[in-house]
Amino acid sequence: MKRKLSENDEPVPTASGETPSAKMATFADLGLDSRLLQATASQNWQTPTLVQSQAIPLALDGCDILAKAKTGSGKTAAYVLPILQAILKRKQTSSDSYTAALILVPTNELVNQVTQVVELLTSFCSREIKVSKLSDKLSDAAQRAVLSDTPDIVVATPARAWHNIKNSALSSDQLTHLVLDEADLVLSYGYDEDLQSIASALPKGLQTTLMSATLTKEVDTLKGLFRRNPSILNLAEPEDDEGGVSQYVVKCGEDEKFLLIYCMIKLELIKGKAIIFVSDVDRCYRLKLFFEQFGIRSCLLNSELPVNCRVHAVEEFNRGVYNIIIASDENEIIGDEKDQTDLGDGDAVDGDREDTTESSKAKSHDAAIAQSSKKRKSSRRDKNYGVSRGIDFKNVAVVINFDLPLSSRSYLHRIGRTARAGQTGMALSFVIPKDKYRKHMPTSTETAENDEKVLARIVKQQAKRGHEVKPYNFDMKAVEAFRYRMNDALRAVTKVAVREARLRELKQELLKSESLKRHFEENPLEVRHLRHDAELRTARSQPHLKHVPDYLLPKEGKKGITPKEVGFVPFKKVLDGKGRRSKVFKGKGRRVGGRKSDPLRSFKARSKNK
Ligand SMILES: Nc1ncnc2c1ncn2[C@@H]1O[C@H](COP(=O)(O)OP(=O)(O)OP(=O)(O)O)[C@@H](O)[C@H]1O
């Protein structure tokens, strides 16, 4: 029987007849092993989150689960802890050793980071439970060696998992637990054949968990594939608990994005850590070089950078080494293309679809998306890259959609990079009105063509969730004084400078190989070479731009620019910065397989008119 559990429903009695309370007071109430309780305590997790308190009892009771819970709500531990509990319990009475759990995620970066969470949660029972990850970076022989140790838990992408099941390196015969994290994405990454093969190799009676912050029709496909009829947890955090994101939008011209972001950062109108999402790799470098003109340091995340360097950059950002990450979200286009046509918001399980009129209105938009997707598909880059979903960025004060995403679903995941684990945060989105699109070619991006339509969807989506997207009003007159400086800086950031910057960054990041990293760790004075926010210096240097002279400021000082401070977000909880995972990833609609491309060879600067 299919069971549905939401915040409005009565809790579902478990098979043992117990009823999980709406929110368990402590992890101990969940009946977890003391070693797991020690691990959660060492993470400073005082109480289980809603998804944890709901999912863990059901999972411990042997139920299949399909859970939808908001971004940053602790879904990883919600599926990892019951698996660990089951393995520990079995090992009390049996010395058999076999791989009991397979955790499937869409990208290599997520493989890395989910493994880190498992390692953290097994830190007090690491002798009893072994976890291994299967990575594209390892040769077949190395993967075989890893698996010959018979890890209790294996974390992998579906492609890697099937590859190893097929060649008998990974035994699926005795699996008791299967997890699909970011379940709605796994299929759109082109893993359908791998998943079908895996499904056919699974033993009967396996307990299956599907997790995501947004659920789509694809999840129904997965349910069919694994022939499961899970208990459905459709969870919204109660308002009180929801740290929540304050959402703002600024409608402005294409070049004004650059003007406003320069003022906001240089005048410290935004404080704390910021993630700035842009639409493509070129724009990443354009914005970084633009910032450089003003002495603003930033680091980059994009699909051209090697995965190690991306993971390292996120880790450093989480440790507070950098304050600003500029992330290109190019893959979201392909990942969300389907959502737009199929499901609008992408939450089929909620019945949260956009209506048909809306869908037909979206058709021309979809065509534009498909067109730009084609272009993007043709460029060579890491198909497994993605940042708007899954990455556990820590203590992010503000998410800036410098370029608006192409769907409300993508917006939801992007803003979910802030206000994680009960904190608060802010999201600010720049929107180009139709009449301002293509009016300033050097700063124009094709993804902005339908910004207003996308905004309408976002507003509708957020309204359904009880959230408001408010206009943010800058005093444009006060900002005007900075325009000539912005223009000076933009002129220096030429196409050639951007192209050189892309090449230079790639070369530098490749040089920072693991062995070099070790060398620098041994020679900490040289560690500055490892920084990801070093200046690229491919654009003309204008040192005078690095300072803001008083005569540019309005009489009231920087307060005259905007009526309120943007982005000062006091965190509800002070995290200790220990033991965190950081998920990275994303990709889309194509099978990735085990190939690993050399980013230097595959580098191809775009020759668009920018
Ligand atoms: N019970 C808890 N109390 C406090 N913090 C927690 C708890 N459980 C998990 N966290 C922290 O919350 C953060 C988010 O967790 P996690 O990445 O699992 O969220 P998620 O729901 O998977 O997010 P996304 O949907 O974006 O992938 C992590 O930093 C994690 O350490």
Side-chain angles (χ1 to χ4, degrees), residues 27 43-49 51-52 69-77 117 181-182 212-213 389-392 394 413 416-417 420-421 573 575 579-581 583:
F27 280 100
Q43 294 302 304
N44 265 348
W45 296 351
Q46 314 289 341
T47 52
T49 63
V51 66
Q52 290 163 358
K70 65 175 261 199
T71 50
S73 58
K75 291 189 284 298
T76 320
V117 176
D181 197 359
E182 305 287 352
S212 184
R389 292 191 55 165
I391 304 183
D392 188 26
K394 308 287 183 195
H413 285 281
R417 298 315 101 201
R420 293 175 76 75
K573 291 178 189 168
L575 298 177
R580 300 289 147 78
R581 78 170 165 119
K583 296 193 216 167

Side-chain angles (χ1 to χ4, degrees), residues 108-119:
N108 291 328
E109 285 105 327
L110 267 178
V111 166
N112 227 7
Q113 292 157 59
V114 169
T115 308
Q116 277 176 21
V117 176
V118 179
E119 281 166 356

Side-chain angles (χ1 to χ4, degrees), residues 367-428:
I369 294 168
Q371 210 179 8
S372 58
S373 301
K374 269 186 203 156
K375 278 187 198 168
R376 279 148 214 276
K377 273 175 189 169
S378 67
S379 76
R380 289 183 182 194
R381 59 194 164 79
D382 185 349
K383 306 286 192 297
N384 272 357
Y385 162 80
V387 283
S388 66
R389 292 191 55 165
I391 304 183
D392 188 26
F393 290 105
K394 308 287 183 195
N395 302 342
V396 174
V398 56
V399 167
I400 298 177
N401 287 311
F402 188 77
D403 298 322
L404 202 65
L406 290 160
S407 72
S408 51
R409 184 174 167 219
S410 181
Y411 175 86
L412 194 76
H413 285 281
R414 278 194 192 180
I415 67 170
R417 298 315 101 201
T418 182
R420 293 175 76 75
Q423 295 180 332
T424 53
M426 194 190 88
L428 179 72

Side-chain angles (χ1 to χ4, degrees), residues 365-581:
H365 178 44
D366 295 334
I369 294 168
Q371 210 179 8
S372 58
S373 301
K374 269 186 203 156
K375 278 187 198 168
R376 279 148 214 276
K377 273 175 189 169
S378 67
S379 76
R380 289 183 182 194
R381 59 194 164 79
D382 185 349
K383 306 286 192 297
N384 272 357
Y385 162 80
V387 283
S388 66
R389 292 191 55 165
I391 304 183
D392 188 26
F393 290 105
K394 308 287 183 195
N395 302 342
V396 174
V398 56
V399 167
I400 298 177
N401 287 311
F402 188 77
D403 298 322
L404 202 65
L406 290 160
S407 72
S408 51
R409 184 174 167 219
S410 181
Y411 175 86
L412 194 76
H413 285 281
R414 278 194 192 180
I415 67 170
R417 298 315 101 201
T418 182
R420 293 175 76 75
Q423 295 180 332
T424 53
M426 194 190 88
L428 179 72
S429 303
F430 292 121
V431 170
I432 305 294
K434 194 80 185 166
D435 58 330
K436 292 191 173 166
Y437 175 65
R438 287 289 194 226
K439 292 293 181 299
H440 190 266
M441 288 312 283
T443 54
S444 186
T445 175
E446 61 188 6
T447 60
E449 185 173 1
N450 293 294
D451 270 7
E452 283 180 315
K453 279 185 192 163
V454 177
L455 178 64
R457 290 176 176 204
I458 290 169
V459 169
K460 194 173 158 192
Q461 171 208 57
Q462 291 300 318
K464 275 185 197 167
R465 289 169 163 75
H467 303 309
E468 197 187 345
V469 184
K470 299 181 198 130
Y472 199 91
N473 297 319
F474 282 90
D475 179 352
M476 286 310 283
K477 274 198 205 124
V479 172
E480 263 327 294
F482 293 86
R483 190 179 282 271
Y484 84 92
R485 297 189 136 228
M486 171 206 70
N487 283 330
D488 264 5
L490 277 180
R491 269 194 295 275
V493 183
T494 59
K495 270 196 290 182
V496 175
V498 170
R499 199 168 55 229
E500 277 182 18
R502 281 175 78 162
L503 259 176
R504 175 172 299 194
E505 179 88 338
L506 251 184
K507 282 183 186 160
Q508 279 175 355
E509 293 301 347
L510 285 174
L511 280 173
K512 292 167 199 161
S513 64
E514 277 302 311
S515 54
L516 274 178
K517 191 176 147 199
R518 264 198 298 279
H519 166 79
F520 288 128
E521 277 164 4
E522 283 158 18
N523 300 278
L525 287 181
E526 294 176 38
V527 84
R528 67 181 186 281
H529 297 296
L530 280 183
R531 288 187 70 97
H532 295 274
D533 65 348
E535 293 194 347
L536 294 166
R537 297 196 182 134
T538 57
R540 176 162 49 95
S541 163
Q542 307 184 83
H544 65 286
L545 291 181
K546 296 194 173 167
H547 310 285
V548 180
D550 289 344
Y551 65 81
L552 280 180
L553 291 170
K555 275 198 285 302
E556 316 80 10
K558 66 179 186 179
K559 291 245 157 56
I561 304 244
T562 172
K564 45 192 156 183
E565 295 235 321
V566 185
F568 176 63
V569 185
F571 289 113
K572 270 190 181 168
K573 291 178 189 168
V574 179
L575 298 177
D576 69 351
K578 278 196 290 179
R580 300 289 147 78
R581 78 170 165 119

